[in-house]
């Protein structure tokens, strides 16, 4: 999966950690790549709702855990 342009070192590390988490949870690099796209989509959809309550890292890992588990993106509405 290609990384977005102008990504900071912190964001690169967070992206790599999220992808590893997804890969380990799902057991597939392809599945991890698909979920990574969903994570960022969900994060953008609910950015204003969660922005002041959680750090970016906590929010993204929470979305990742939901998507790799049974619940899905709707739990972040």
């Amino acid at each position: 999966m290609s990384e977005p342009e102008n990504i900071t070192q912190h964001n690169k590390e967070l992206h790599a950690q999220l992808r590893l988490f997804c890969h380990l949870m799902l057991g597939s690099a392809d599945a991890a790549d698909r979920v990574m796209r969903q994570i960022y989509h969900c994060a953008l959809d609910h950015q204003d709702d969660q922005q002041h309550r959680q750090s970016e890292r906590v929010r993204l890992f929470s979305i990742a855990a939901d998507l790799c588990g049974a619940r899905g993106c709707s739990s972040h509405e």
Side-chain angles (χ1 to χ4, degrees):
M1 178 176 167
S2 62
E3 295 180 14
E5 293 180 22
N6 300 327
I7 193 165
T8 66
Q9 183 62 30
H10 169 75
N11 286 342
K12 284 182 182 180
E13 291 171 7
L14 178 57
H15 178 85
Q17 292 168 357
L18 276 168
R19 190 177 181 289
L20 177 61
F21 174 82
C22 293
H23 189 162
L24 292 172
M25 291 292 291
L26 300 170
S28 163
D30 290 336
D33 288 340
R34 285 191 299 274
V35 169
M36 288 299 294
R37 288 188 289 275
Q38 291 176 322
I39 290 167
Y40 290 117
H41 177 76
C42 289
L44 287 174
D45 283 351
H46 304 289
Q47 186 172 6
D48 294 336
D49 299 341
Q50 300 284 331
Q51 188 171 6
H52 299 291
R53 289 186 276 166
Q54 297 177 335
S55 73
E56 175 186 23
R57 179 183 183 80
V58 170
R59 188 166 55 95
L60 292 175
F61 269 95
S62 176
I63 293 168
D66 287 348
L67 292 174
C68 291
R71 289 190 283 174
C73 184
S74 63
S75 66
H76 293 280
E77 292 179 2

Coordinates of all heavy atoms in Angstrom, one line a residue:
M1 N 0.9 -1.2 0.0 CA 0.0 0.0 0.0 C 0.9 1.2 0.0 O 1.8 1.3 0.8 CB -0.9 0.0 1.2 CG -1.8 1.2 1.4 SD -2.8 1.0 2.8 CE -3.4 2.6 2.9
S2 N 0.6 2.2 -0.9 CA 1.4 3.4 -0.9 C 1.0 4.3 0.2 O -0.2 4.4 0.6 CB 1.2 4.1 -2.2 OG -0.1 4.5 -2.4
E3 N 2.0 5.0 0.8 CA 1.7 5.9 1.9 C 1.3 7.3 1.3 O 1.8 7.7 0.3 CB 2.9 6.0 2.8 CG 3.3 4.7 3.5 CD 4.5 4.9 4.4 OE1 4.9 6.0 4.6 OE2 5.0 3.8 4.8
P4 N 0.5 8.0 2.0 CA 0.2 9.4 1.6 C 1.4 10.3 1.5 O 2.4 10.1 2.2 CB -0.8 9.9 2.7 CG -1.3 8.7 3.3 CD -0.2 7.7 3.2
E5 N 1.4 11.2 0.6 CA 2.6 12.1 0.4 C 2.6 13.0 1.6 O 1.6 13.3 2.3 CB 2.4 13.0 -0.8 CG 2.5 12.1 -2.1 CD 2.4 12.9 -3.4 OE1 2.6 14.2 -3.3 OE2 2.1 12.3 -4.4
N6 N 3.8 13.6 1.9 CA 4.0 14.6 3.0 C 3.7 14.0 4.3 O 3.3 14.7 5.2 CB 3.2 15.8 2.8 CG 3.6 16.5 1.5 OD1 4.7 16.5 1.0 ND2 2.6 17.2 0.9
I7 N 4.0 12.7 4.5 CA 3.7 12.1 5.8 C 4.9 12.3 6.7 O 6.0 12.2 6.3 CB 3.4 10.6 5.6 CG1 2.8 10.0 6.8 CG2 4.6 9.8 5.1 CD1 2.2 8.6 6.6
T8 N 4.7 12.7 8.0 CA 5.7 12.9 8.9 C 6.3 11.6 9.4 O 5.7 10.6 9.3 CB 5.2 13.8 10.1 OG1 4.3 13.0 10.8 CG2 4.6 15.1 9.6
Q9 N 7.5 11.7 10.0 CA 8.1 10.5 10.6 C 7.2 9.9 11.7 O 7.0 8.7 11.7 CB 9.5 10.8 11.2 CG 10.2 9.6 11.7 CD 10.5 8.6 10.7 OE1 10.7 8.9 9.5 NE2 10.6 7.3 11.1
H10 N 6.6 10.7 12.5 CA 5.7 10.2 13.5 C 4.5 9.4 12.8 O 4.1 8.3 13.3 CB 5.1 11.3 14.4 CG 4.0 10.9 15.2 ND1 4.1 10.2 16.4 CD2 2.6 11.1 15.1 CE1 3.0 10.0 16.9 NE2 2.0 10.5 16.2
N11 N 4.0 10.0 11.8 CA 2.9 9.4 11.1 C 3.3 8.1 10.4 O 2.5 7.1 10.3 CB 2.2 10.3 10.1 CG 1.4 11.4 10.8 OD1 1.0 11.2 12.0 ND2 1.1 12.4 10.1
K12 N 4.5 8.1 9.9 CA 5.1 6.8 9.2 C 5.2 5.7 10.3 O 4.8 4.6 10.0 CB 6.4 7.1 8.6 CG 6.4 7.8 7.3 CD 7.8 8.0 6.8 CE 7.8 8.8 5.5 NZ 9.2 8.9 5.0
E13 N 5.6 6.1 11.5 CA 5.8 5.1 12.5 C 4.4 4.6 13.0 O 4.2 3.4 13.1 CB 6.5 5.6 13.7 CG 8.0 5.9 13.4 CD 8.7 6.6 14.5 OE1 8.1 6.9 15.6 OE2 9.9 7.0 14.3
L14 N 3.5 5.5 13.1 CA 2.1 5.1 13.5 C 1.5 4.2 12.4 O 0.8 3.2 12.7 CB 1.2 6.3 13.8 CG -0.2 6.1 14.1 CD1 -0.3 5.2 15.4 CD2 -0.9 7.5 14.4
H15 N 1.6 4.6 11.2 CA 1.1 3.8 10.1 C 1.7 2.4 10.1 O 0.9 1.4 9.9 CB 1.4 4.5 8.7 CG 0.9 3.8 7.5 ND1 -0.3 3.9 7.0 CD2 1.6 2.9 6.7 CE1 -0.5 3.1 6.0 NE2 0.7 2.5 5.8
A16 N 3.0 2.3 10.3 CA 3.7 1.0 10.3 C 3.2 0.1 11.5 O 2.9 -1.1 11.3 CB 5.2 1.2 10.4
Q17 N 3.0 0.8 12.6 CA 2.5 0.0 13.8 C 1.0 -0.4 13.6 O 0.7 -1.6 13.9 CB 2.6 0.9 15.0 CG 4.0 1.2 15.5 CD 4.1 2.3 16.5 OE1 3.1 2.9 16.9 NE2 5.3 2.5 16.9
L18 N 0.2 0.4 13.0 CA -1.2 0.1 12.7 C -1.2 -1.1 11.7 O -2.0 -2.0 11.9 CB -2.0 1.2 12.1 CG -2.6 2.2 13.1 CD1 -3.0 3.5 12.3 CD2 -3.7 1.6 13.8
R19 N -0.4 -1.0 10.7 CA -0.4 -2.1 9.6 C 0.1 -3.4 10.2 O -0.5 -4.4 10.0 CB 0.5 -1.7 8.5 CG 0.3 -2.6 7.3 CD 1.1 -2.2 6.1 NE 0.8 -3.2 5.0 CZ 1.3 -4.4 5.0 NH1 2.0 -4.9 6.0 NH2 1.0 -5.2 4.0
L20 N 1.1 -3.3 11.1 CA 1.6 -4.6 11.7 C 0.5 -5.2 12.6 O 0.2 -6.4 12.6 CB 2.8 -4.3 12.6 CG 3.4 -5.5 13.4 CD1 3.8 -6.6 12.4 CD2 4.5 -5.0 14.2
F21 N -0.2 -4.3 13.4 CA -1.3 -4.7 14.2 C -2.4 -5.5 13.4 O -2.8 -6.6 13.7 CB -1.9 -3.5 15.0 CG -3.1 -3.9 15.8 CD1 -3.1 -4.4 17.0 CD2 -4.4 -3.6 15.2 CE1 -4.2 -4.7 17.8 CE2 -5.6 -3.9 16.0 CZ -5.4 -4.4 17.2
C22 N -2.8 -4.8 12.3 CA -3.8 -5.4 11.4 C -3.3 -6.7 10.8 O -4.1 -7.7 10.7 CB -4.2 -4.4 10.3 SG -5.0 -3.0 11.0
H23 N -2.0 -6.8 10.4 CA -1.5 -8.0 9.8 C -1.5 -9.1 10.8 O -1.9 -10.2 10.5 CB -0.1 -7.7 9.3 CG 0.5 -8.8 8.5 ND1 1.6 -8.6 7.6 CD2 0.2 -10.1 8.3 CE1 1.9 -9.8 7.1 NE2 1.0 -10.7 7.5
L24 N -1.1 -8.8 12.0 CA -1.1 -9.9 13.1 C -2.5 -10.3 13.4 O -2.7 -11.5 13.6 CB -0.4 -9.4 14.3 CG 1.2 -9.1 14.1 CD1 1.7 -8.4 15.4 CD2 1.9 -10.4 13.9
M25 N -3.4 -9.4 13.5 CA -4.8 -9.7 13.8 C -5.5 -10.5 12.7 O -6.3 -11.4 13.0 CB -5.6 -8.5 14.1 CG -5.2 -7.7 15.4 SD -5.7 -8.6 16.9 CE -7.4 -8.6 16.8
L26 N -5.2 -10.2 11.5 CA -5.9 -10.8 10.3 C -5.1 -11.9 9.7 O -5.7 -12.7 8.9 CB -6.2 -9.7 9.3 CG -7.1 -8.6 9.8 CD1 -7.2 -7.5 8.8 CD2 -8.5 -9.1 10.2
G27 N -3.8 -12.0 9.9 CA -3.0 -13.0 9.3 C -2.7 -12.9 7.9 O -2.3 -13.9 7.2
S28 N -2.9 -11.7 7.3 CA -2.7 -11.5 5.8 C -2.3 -10.1 5.5 O -2.9 -9.2 6.0 CB -4.0 -11.9 5.1 OG -4.0 -11.4 3.8
A29 N -1.3 -10.0 4.7 CA -0.8 -8.6 4.3 C -1.9 -7.9 3.5 O -2.1 -6.7 3.6 CB 0.5 -8.7 3.6
D30 N -2.5 -8.7 2.6 CA -3.6 -8.1 1.7 C -4.7 -7.6 2.6 O -5.3 -6.6 2.3 CB -4.0 -9.1 0.7 CG -3.0 -9.4 -0.4 OD1 -2.1 -8.6 -0.6 OD2 -3.1 -10.5 -1.0
A31 N -5.2 -8.4 3.5 CA -6.3 -8.0 4.4 C -5.9 -6.8 5.2 O -6.7 -5.9 5.4 CB -6.7 -9.2 5.3
A32 N -4.6 -6.8 5.7 CA -4.2 -5.6 6.4 C -4.2 -4.4 5.6 O -4.6 -3.3 6.1 CB -2.7 -5.9 7.0
D33 N -3.8 -4.5 4.3 CA -3.9 -3.3 3.4 C -5.3 -2.8 3.2 O -5.6 -1.6 3.2 CB -3.2 -3.6 2.1 CG -1.7 -3.7 2.1 OD1 -1.1 -3.2 3.1 OD2 -1.1 -4.4 1.2
R34 N -6.2 -3.7 3.1 CA -7.6 -3.3 2.9 C -8.2 -2.6 4.1 O -8.8 -1.6 4.1 CB -8.5 -4.6 2.6 CG -8.3 -5.1 1.1 CD -9.4 -6.1 0.8 NE -9.3 -7.3 1.6 CZ -8.5 -8.3 1.4 NH1 -7.7 -8.3 0.4 NH2 -8.5 -9.4 2.2
V35 N -7.8 -3.2 5.3 CA -8.3 -2.6 6.6 C -7.6 -1.3 6.8 O -8.3 -0.3 7.3 CB -8.1 -3.6 7.7 CG1 -8.3 -2.9 9.1 CG2 -9.0 -4.8 7.6
M36 N -6.4 -1.1 6.4 CA -5.7 0.2 6.6 C -6.5 1.3 5.8 O -6.7 2.4 6.4 CB -4.3 0.2 6.1 CG -3.4 -0.6 7.0 SD -3.2 0.0 8.6 CE -2.4 1.6 8.3
R37 N -7.0 1.0 4.6 CA -7.8 2.0 3.9 C -9.1 2.3 4.7 O -9.5 3.5 4.7 CB -8.1 1.5 2.5 CG -6.8 1.5 1.6 CD -7.2 1.2 0.1 NE -7.6 -0.2 -0.1 CZ -6.7 -1.1 -0.3 NH1 -5.4 -0.9 -0.3 NH2 -7.1 -2.4 -0.5
Q38 N -9.7 1.3 5.2 CA -10.9 1.5 6.0 C -10.7 2.3 7.2 O -11.5 3.1 7.6 CB -11.5 0.1 6.3 CG -12.1 -0.6 5.2 CD -12.6 -2.0 5.6 OE1 -12.0 -2.7 6.4 NE2 -13.7 -2.4 5.0
I39 N -9.6 2.0 7.9 CA -9.2 2.8 9.1 C -9.2 4.3 8.8 O -9.8 5.1 9.5 CB -7.9 2.3 9.7 CG1 -8.0 0.9 10.3 CG2 -7.4 3.3 10.8 CD1 -6.7 0.2 10.6
Y40 N -8.4 4.7 7.8 CA -8.3 6.1 7.5 C -9.6 6.7 7.0 O -9.9 7.8 7.3 CB -7.2 6.3 6.5 CG -5.8 6.1 7.1 CD1 -5.0 5.1 6.6 CD2 -5.4 6.8 8.2 CE1 -3.7 4.9 7.2 CE2 -4.1 6.6 8.7 CZ -3.3 5.7 8.3 OH -2.1 5.4 8.9
H41 N -10.4 5.9 6.3 CA -11.7 6.3 5.9 C -12.6 6.6 7.1 O -13.3 7.6 7.2 CB -12.4 5.3 4.9 CG -13.7 5.7 4.5 ND1 -14.0 6.6 3.5 CD2 -15.0 5.2 4.9 CE1 -15.3 6.7 3.4 NE2 -15.9 5.9 4.2
C42 N -12.7 5.7 8.0 CA -13.5 5.8 9.2 C -13.0 7.0 10.1 O -13.8 7.8 10.6 CB -13.4 4.6 10.1 SG -14.4 3.2 9.4
A43 N -11.6 7.1 10.2 CA -11.1 8.2 10.9 C -11.5 9.6 10.4 O -11.8 10.5 11.1 CB -9.6 8.1 11.0
L44 N -11.5 9.7 9.0 CA -11.9 11.0 8.4 C -13.3 11.2 8.6 O -13.7 12.4 8.8 CB -11.5 10.9 6.9 CG -10.0 11.1 6.6 CD1 -9.8 10.9 5.1 CD2 -9.5 12.4 7.0
D45 N -14.1 10.2 8.5 CA -15.6 10.3 8.6 C -16.0 10.8 10.0 O -17.0 11.5 10.2 CB -16.3 9.0 8.4 CG -16.4 8.7 6.9 OD1 -16.1 9.5 6.1 OD2 -16.8 7.5 6.6
H46 N -15.2 10.5 11.0 CA -15.6 10.8 12.4 C -14.6 11.6 13.1 O -14.5 11.7 14.3 CB -15.8 9.5 13.2 CG -16.8 8.6 12.5 ND1 -18.2 8.9 12.5 CD2 -16.7 7.4 11.8 CE1 -18.8 8.0 11.8 NE2 -18.0 7.1 11.4
Q47 N -13.8 12.4 12.3 CA -12.7 13.2 12.9 C -13.2 14.2 13.9 O -12.7 14.4 15.0 CB -11.9 13.8 11.8 CG -10.7 14.6 12.2 CD -9.9 15.1 11.1 OE1 -10.3 15.0 9.9 NE2 -8.8 15.7 11.4
D48 N -14.3 14.9 13.5 CA -14.8 16.0 14.4 C -15.4 15.4 15.6 O -15.3 16.0 16.7 CB -15.8 16.8 13.6 CG -15.2 17.6 12.5 OD1 -14.0 17.9 12.5 OD2 -16.0 17.9 11.5
D49 N -16.1 14.3 15.5 CA -16.7 13.7 16.7 C -15.7 13.3 17.8 O -16.0 13.4 19.0 CB -17.5 12.4 16.3 CG -18.6 12.7 15.3 OD1 -19.0 13.8 15.2 OD2 -19.0 11.7 14.6
Q50 N -14.6 12.8 17.4 CA -13.6 12.2 18.3 C -12.4 13.1 18.6 O -11.6 12.8 19.5 CB -13.1 10.9 17.8 CG -14.1 9.8 17.5 CD -14.6 9.2 18.8 OE1 -13.9 9.1 19.7 NE2 -15.9 8.8 18.8
Q51 N -12.2 14.1 17.8 CA -11.0 14.9 17.8 C -10.6 15.4 19.2 O -9.4 15.3 19.5 CB -11.1 16.1 16.9 CG -9.8 16.9 16.7 CD -10.0 17.9 15.6 OE1 -11.1 18.2 15.1 NE2 -8.9 18.5 15.3
H52 N -11.5 15.9 20.0 CA -11.1 16.4 21.3 C -11.1 15.4 22.4 O -10.6 15.7 23.5 CB -12.0 17.6 21.7 CG -11.9 18.7 20.6 ND1 -10.8 19.5 20.5 CD2 -12.8 19.1 19.7 CE1 -11.1 20.4 19.5 NE2 -12.3 20.2 19.0
R53 N -11.6 14.3 22.2 CA -11.7 13.3 23.3 C -10.6 12.3 23.3 O -10.3 11.7 24.3 CB -13.1 12.5 23.1 CG -14.3 13.4 23.5 CD -15.5 12.5 23.5 NE -16.0 12.5 22.1 CZ -16.9 11.7 21.7 NH1 -17.5 10.8 22.5 NH2 -17.3 11.7 20.5
Q54 N -9.9 12.0 22.2 CA -8.9 11.0 22.1 C -7.7 11.5 21.3 O -7.9 12.3 20.4 CB -9.4 9.7 21.5 CG -10.5 9.0 22.2 CD -11.1 7.8 21.4 OE1 -10.9 7.7 20.2 NE2 -11.6 6.9 22.1
S55 N -6.6 11.0 21.6 CA -5.4 11.2 20.8 C -5.6 10.5 19.4 O -6.4 9.6 19.3 CB -4.1 10.8 21.5 OG -4.0 9.4 21.4
E56 N -4.9 11.0 18.4 CA -4.9 10.3 17.1 C -4.6 8.8 17.2 O -5.2 8.0 16.6 CB -4.0 11.0 16.2 CG -3.9 10.4 14.8 CD -2.8 11.0 13.9 OE1 -1.9 11.6 14.5 OE2 -2.9 10.9 12.7
R57 N -3.5 8.5 17.9 CA -3.1 7.2 18.1 C -4.1 6.3 18.7 O -4.4 5.2 18.2 CB -1.8 7.1 18.9 CG -1.2 5.8 19.2 CD 0.0 5.8 20.1 NE 0.6 4.5 20.2 CZ 1.4 3.9 19.4 NH1 1.7 4.5 18.2 NH2 1.8 2.7 19.6
V58 N -4.7 6.7 19.8 CA -5.8 5.9 20.5 C -6.9 5.7 19.5 O -7.5 4.6 19.4 CB -6.2 6.6 21.8 CG1 -7.4 5.9 22.4 CG2 -5.0 6.6 22.8
R59 N -7.3 6.8 18.9 CA -8.5 6.7 18.0 C -8.3 5.8 16.8 O -9.1 4.9 16.5 CB -8.8 8.1 17.4 CG -10.1 8.2 16.7 CD -10.5 9.7 16.5 NE -9.5 10.5 15.8 CZ -9.4 10.7 14.5 NH1 -10.3 10.2 13.7 NH2 -8.4 11.5 14.0
L60 N -7.1 5.8 16.2 CA -6.8 4.9 15.1 C -6.7 3.5 15.5 O -7.2 2.6 14.8 CB -5.5 5.4 14.3 CG -5.6 6.7 13.6 CD1 -4.3 7.1 13.0 CD2 -6.7 6.7 12.5
F61 N -6.1 3.2 16.6 CA -6.0 1.9 17.1 C -7.3 1.3 17.6 O -7.6 0.1 17.4 CB -4.9 1.7 18.2 CG -3.6 1.4 17.7 CD1 -2.6 2.4 17.5 CD2 -3.2 0.1 17.4 CE1 -1.4 2.1 17.0 CE2 -2.0 -0.2 16.9 CZ -1.0 0.8 16.7
S62 N -8.2 2.2 18.1 CA -9.5 1.8 18.4 C -10.3 1.4 17.2 O -11.0 0.3 17.2 CB -10.3 2.9 19.2 OG -11.6 2.5 19.4
I63 N -10.2 2.1 16.1 CA -10.9 1.8 14.9 C -10.3 0.5 14.3 O -11.0 -0.4 13.9 CB -10.7 3.0 13.8 CG1 -11.5 4.2 14.3 CG2 -11.2 2.5 12.5 CD1 -11.1 5.5 13.5
A64 N -8.9 0.4 14.4 CA -8.3 -0.8 13.9 C -8.8 -2.1 14.6 O -9.1 -3.1 14.0 CB -6.8 -0.7 14.0
A65 N -8.9 -2.0 15.9 CA -9.3 -3.1 16.7 C -10.8 -3.5 16.4 O -11.1 -4.7 16.2 CB -9.2 -2.8 18.2
D66 N -11.6 -2.5 16.1 CA -13.0 -2.8 15.8 C -13.0 -3.4 14.4 O -13.8 -4.4 14.2 CB -13.8 -1.5 15.7 CG -14.1 -0.9 17.1 OD1 -13.9 -1.6 18.1 OD2 -14.6 0.2 17.2
L67 N -12.3 -2.9 13.4 CA -12.3 -3.5 12.1 C -11.7 -4.9 12.0 O -12.1 -5.7 11.2 CB -11.6 -2.5 11.1 CG -12.4 -1.2 10.9 CD1 -11.5 -0.3 10.0 CD2 -13.7 -1.5 10.2
C68 N -10.7 -5.1 12.8 CA -10.1 -6.4 12.8 C -10.9 -7.4 13.6 O -10.6 -8.6 13.5 CB -8.6 -6.3 13.3 SG -7.5 -5.4 12.2
G69 N -11.8 -6.9 14.4 CA -12.6 -7.8 15.2 C -14.0 -8.0 14.7 O -14.1 -8.1 13.4
A70 N -15.0 -7.9 15.5 CA -16.3 -8.2 15.0 C -17.3 -7.0 14.9 O -18.3 -7.1 14.2 CB -17.0 -9.2 16.0
R71 N -16.9 -5.9 15.4 CA -17.9 -4.8 15.5 C -17.9 -4.0 14.2 O -19.0 -3.7 13.7 CB -17.5 -3.8 16.6 CG -17.9 -4.5 17.9 CD -17.8 -3.5 19.0 NE -16.4 -3.3 19.4 CZ -16.0 -2.4 20.2 NH1 -16.8 -1.6 20.8 NH2 -14.7 -2.2 20.5
G72 N -16.9 -3.4 13.6 CA -16.9 -2.6 12.4 C -16.9 -1.1 12.7 O -16.9 -0.7 13.8
C73 N -16.9 -0.3 11.7 CA -16.8 1.1 11.7 C -17.9 1.8 12.4 O -17.7 2.9 13.0 CB -16.6 1.6 10.3 SG -16.3 3.4 10.2
S74 N -19.1 1.3 12.4 CA -20.3 2.0 12.9 C -20.2 2.3 14.4 O -20.9 3.2 14.9 CB -21.5 1.2 12.6 OG -21.5 -0.1 13.3
S75 N -19.3 1.6 15.1 CA -19.2 1.9 16.6 C -18.6 3.3 16.8 O -18.6 3.7 18.0 CB -18.4 0.8 17.2 OG -17.0 0.8 16.8
H76 N -18.1 3.9 15.8 CA -17.4 5.2 16.0 C -18.3 6.4 15.6 O -17.9 7.5 15.4 CB -16.1 5.3 15.2 CG -15.1 4.3 15.8 ND1 -14.4 4.6 16.9 CD2 -14.8 3.1 15.4 CE1 -13.6 3.6 17.1 NE2 -13.9 2.6 16.3
E77 N -19.6 6.1 15.4 CA -20.5 7.2 15.0 C -21.0 8.0 16.2 O -21.0 7.6 17.3 CB -21.8 6.6 14.3 CG -21.4 6.0 13.0 CD -22.6 5.4 12.3 OE1 -23.7 5.4 12.8 OE2 -22.3 4.8 11.2

